[in-house]
């Protein structure tokens, strides 16, 4: 087992999983990826993430905030893990009436490489 901190990546697009993994590995993280909400909920009890990256639109559905709320509600520990939301959509398009307080940062996929590195440095 690696001594590197674990980042749990919840993203359905393989190309973005690869990009996120590459950025995080350069920042000394080990990544564990889930490609669906169901897979994420199955893996979550078996890992101890130091950081979580969540695609805000899994399989074309805006489920990211709901997934984040489920993660935050699982345990006190997960409630304090930094979470970065990523999406090709603008953050304003994702914000429901309740706001986006569940996320610690948001990164547009248009600026994923630089934006993710900056967000990780900010929240981790």
């Amino acid at each position: 087992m690696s001594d590197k901190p674990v980042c749990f990546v919840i993203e359905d697009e393989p190309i973005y999983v690869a990009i996120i993994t590459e950025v995080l590995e350069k920042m000394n993280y080990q990544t564990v990826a889930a490609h669906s909400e169901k897979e994420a909920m199955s893996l979550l009890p078996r890992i101890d993430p130091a950081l979580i990256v969540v695609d805000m639109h899994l399989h074309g559905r805006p489920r990211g905030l709901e997934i984040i709320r489920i993660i935050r509600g699982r345990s006190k520990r997960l409630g304090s893990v930094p979470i970065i939301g990523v999406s090709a959509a603008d953050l304003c398009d994702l914000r429901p009436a309740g706001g986006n307080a569940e996320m610690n940062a948001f990164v547009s996929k248009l600026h994923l490489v630089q934006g993710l590195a900056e967000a990780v440095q900010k929240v981790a």
Side-chain angles (χ1 to χ4, degrees):
M1 186 74 175
S2 174
D3 288 337
K4 295 179 180 182
V6 173
C7 178
F8 189 33
V9 179
I10 305 169
E11 168 64 66
D12 59 335
E13 298 283 340
I15 187 67
Y16 289 116
V17 172
I19 293 168
I20 291 167
T21 297
E22 184 175 336
V23 170
L24 292 169
E25 284 179 352
K26 287 179 180 177
M27 299 181 79
N28 204 36
Y29 280 88
Q30 172 187 351
T31 59
V32 174
H35 301 93
S36 69
E37 178 181 355
K38 182 177 179 180
E39 184 180 10
M41 295 303 112
S42 173
L43 286 171
L44 194 57
R46 294 183 265 154
I47 61 172
D48 184 23
L51 177 68
I52 300 171
V53 175
V54 179
D55 179 7
M56 303 310 291
H57 280 93
L58 288 171
H59 301 290
R61 297 173 49 213
R63 304 261 305 146
L65 287 176
E66 185 175 331
I67 291 168
I68 292 169
R69 287 184 188 117
I70 291 168
I71 292 169
R72 293 276 190 230
R74 282 276 173 110
S75 70
K76 189 173 185 176
R77 160 82 178 106
L78 289 173
S80 64
V81 172
I83 296 179
I84 299 172
V86 297
S87 180
D90 187 296
L91 179 59
C92 295
D93 297 335
L94 301 171
R95 194 173 293 146
N100 65 335
E102 296 87 357
M103 282 185 281
N104 298 90
F106 174 82
V107 177
S108 168
K109 288 184 179 177
L110 297 173
H111 308 286
L112 189 57
V113 174
Q114 180 178 350
L116 183 59
E118 290 172 358
V120 171
Q121 289 175 344
K122 176 182 157 190
V123 303

